Amino acid sequence: MRTITSSRLRVATLLVLTLIGIWYAVDKWRYSRMHALPEGLTSFYVGDPPPACDEWRNHMPGHRDKDAFELYIRARRLWRSKIEWQLTKGETQQILRDVRSAAAKGDWGAKALLAYFYRNGLGPLPSNQVLTPDADAVVAITREAVRAGQPWGYYDLGVAHEHGYGGAVHDQKIAWAYYLKAASLGSPEAQMALADAYSRAGIHKYAEVMHQCAFAQGHGPAARALGMTARIEGRVQEAIHLYQEGVKMGGLSSVEVMYLFFLDGSWMTSSAAEKKELEALNVRSDPDRAQRYESLMRALRINPDLKFGNLDAVLPLPPLPLPEWHGVEDALSVEQEGPPAY
């Protein structure tokens, strides 16, 4: 009797161990599949040379439906016309309706904006809220953009993997593989992400390559980063010009730098030697210039889409005198005519 009981116990134990082994193997297989690098991506290694420069516009559709584009632009202008909590419920409803309609018609700008709304919600107050965050919807649109080969989709899906939301597994290796692909396709945000990784690793020549790639596409934060590098390396005049370019690109951080710079006539951390060089360049405290930069700064805080392509005509750098000023509108870029483009 004891022999039979002991035998049954051994069989039961063996069965349990076998089931545990199967469960462990299946779990390991599932984990390896979830964390496998997606097809078409390569791992990012900070010591590898940076990808060649490209522009994101090169990878967007050549044709853009005029009606869908106009719906999207109308919605975006309304959304950027004031601080979001100032929008009425009717306005947020109109914005969402137009963006969804334009996205349904295939406009990728509208789809990207719709993904943004799903990520952040639309309407921050109970009185004007029309959409709450939905991570699954964000990733669904982003995956669609990736299938279409669009740079912003690769970057945004990398963000989803870095933070692990919307069904995108939390995996840094996968996230950085997406960033690398996005940067190679010209995403300025991804190029800046790679530049930051190179900087943290002390590979500054690679960081500058990525900053220059993003700068060439009119990316404001890249101008500020290059301006900071120029200043650190003692190229003061070049730094000022780079910050001015950042302002033209609508870079809020560059505008803030220039506002404070002309408020005091130097940077807060300027050395005596740097201050002497600034004096030689005829740069000094200039409240009138500072006030104009402050106006641009306030406008950008409401509408980050603004570009100031006409800046040098109304707010030139010293030693040129300040011309007449009628407000922020004087500095705005002139909208291009012709068929809608990205």
Side-chain angles (χ1 to χ4, degrees):
M1 188 71 174
R2 288 180 180 176
T3 302
I4 294 172
T5 303
S6 177
S7 177
R8 286 177 176 173
L9 182 60
R10 284 197 298 272
V11 170
T13 301
L14 182 61
L15 179 61
V16 170
L17 291 174
T18 300
L19 290 173
I20 291 173
I22 292 171
W23 176 85
Y24 178 77
V26 170
D27 187 63
K28 187 176 181 181
W29 175 78
R30 286 176 176 168
Y31 182 88
S32 64
R33 283 199 63 185
M34 288 173 61
H35 293 268
L37 214 57
E39 186 178 353
L41 299 186
T42 55
S43 295
F44 171 70
Y45 297 105
V46 74
D48 288 345
C53 284
D54 199 351
E55 295 189 8
W56 66 270
R57 289 178 178 83
N58 295 336
H59 303 278
M60 299 302 288
H63 172 74
R64 196 168 190 181
D65 182 84
K66 187 174 183 293
D67 293 337
F69 172 76
E70 288 177 354
L71 275 173
Y72 160 64
I73 290 298
R74 183 174 74 180
R76 193 175 187 101
R77 283 176 177 162
L78 177 56
W79 176 51
R80 293 302 201 186
S81 65
K82 57 187 78 173
I83 300 171
E84 194 168 328
W85 59 263
Q86 295 175 326
L87 294 168
T88 67
K89 184 70 167 280
E91 288 172 329
T92 53
Q93 288 172 334
Q94 182 67 52
I95 291 165
L96 184 58
R97 185 162 52 247
D98 284 349
V99 170
R100 278 179 167 162
S101 180
K105 291 176 181 289
D107 189 273
W108 280 104
K111 290 183 182 184
L113 184 55
L114 187 58
Y116 177 90
F117 289 153
Y118 277 124
R119 185 181 301 110
N120 300 283
L122 178 59
L125 303 175
S127 60
N128 68 1
Q129 188 178 79
V130 292
L131 193 69
T132 55
D134 184 339
D136 290 339
V138 174
V139 173
I141 296 173
T142 302
R143 290 192 189 281
E144 185 184 353
V146 167
R147 287 192 294 271
Q150 296 187 10
W152 70 269
Y154 282 98
Y155 175 75
D156 282 8
L157 195 50
V159 173
H161 278 288
E162 183 173 4
H163 298 284
Y165 59 76
V169 63
H170 182 242
D171 189 304
Q172 296 295 310
K173 184 177 181 181
I174 293 177
W176 281 92
Y178 273 111
Y179 292 154
L180 177 60
K181 179 69 173 181
S184 72
L185 293 175
S187 163
E189 293 82 7
Q191 290 167 347
M192 294 296 288
L194 264 59
D196 184 58
Y198 294 134
S199 292
R200 285 186 276 110
I203 312 176
H204 300 296
K205 62 178 182 179
Y206 289 173
E208 184 167 3
V209 168
M210 287 291 94
H211 283 147
Q212 290 286 1
C213 289
F215 175 74
Q217 297 189 78
H219 192 60
R224 184 180 188 276
L226 289 169
M228 289 177 65
T229 298
R231 188 189 161 210
I232 290 169
E233 295 177 354
R235 294 176 280 123
V236 177
Q237 187 172 21
E238 183 181 347
I240 296 170
H241 280 276
L242 283 165
Y243 287 130
Q244 180 81 341
E245 289 301 308
V247 176
K248 293 178 190 176
M249 295 171 183
L252 177 59
S253 58
S254 290
V255 183
E256 291 169 341
V257 167
M258 295 296 272
Y259 163 65
L260 293 172
F261 179 74
F262 282 107
L263 200 62
D264 297 329
S266 64
W267 289 286
M268 289 180 64
T269 55
S270 287
S271 63
E274 190 173 68
K275 288 181 179 179
K276 188 175 181 180
E277 185 173 353
L278 289 170
E279 289 176 6
L281 293 171
N282 200 31
V283 175
R284 56 180 60 87
S285 176
D286 190 329
D288 290 335
R289 275 191 166 84
Q291 187 176 35
R292 295 189 186 188
Y293 283 111
E294 185 180 22
S295 297
L296 302 180
M297 182 171 65
R298 289 177 175 173
L300 278 173
R301 285 175 178 167
I302 295 173
N303 184 356
D305 289 341
L306 297 177
K307 308 295 180 188
F308 302 115
N310 202 39
L311 184 70
D312 288 337
V314 293
L315 187 46
L317 292 173
L320 293 175
L322 285 177
E324 193 174 351
W325 169 263
H326 300 101
V328 170
E329 293 76 13
D330 288 352
L332 290 175
S333 299
V334 178
E335 290 192 15
Q336 299 295 319
E337 296 183 1
Y342 288 97

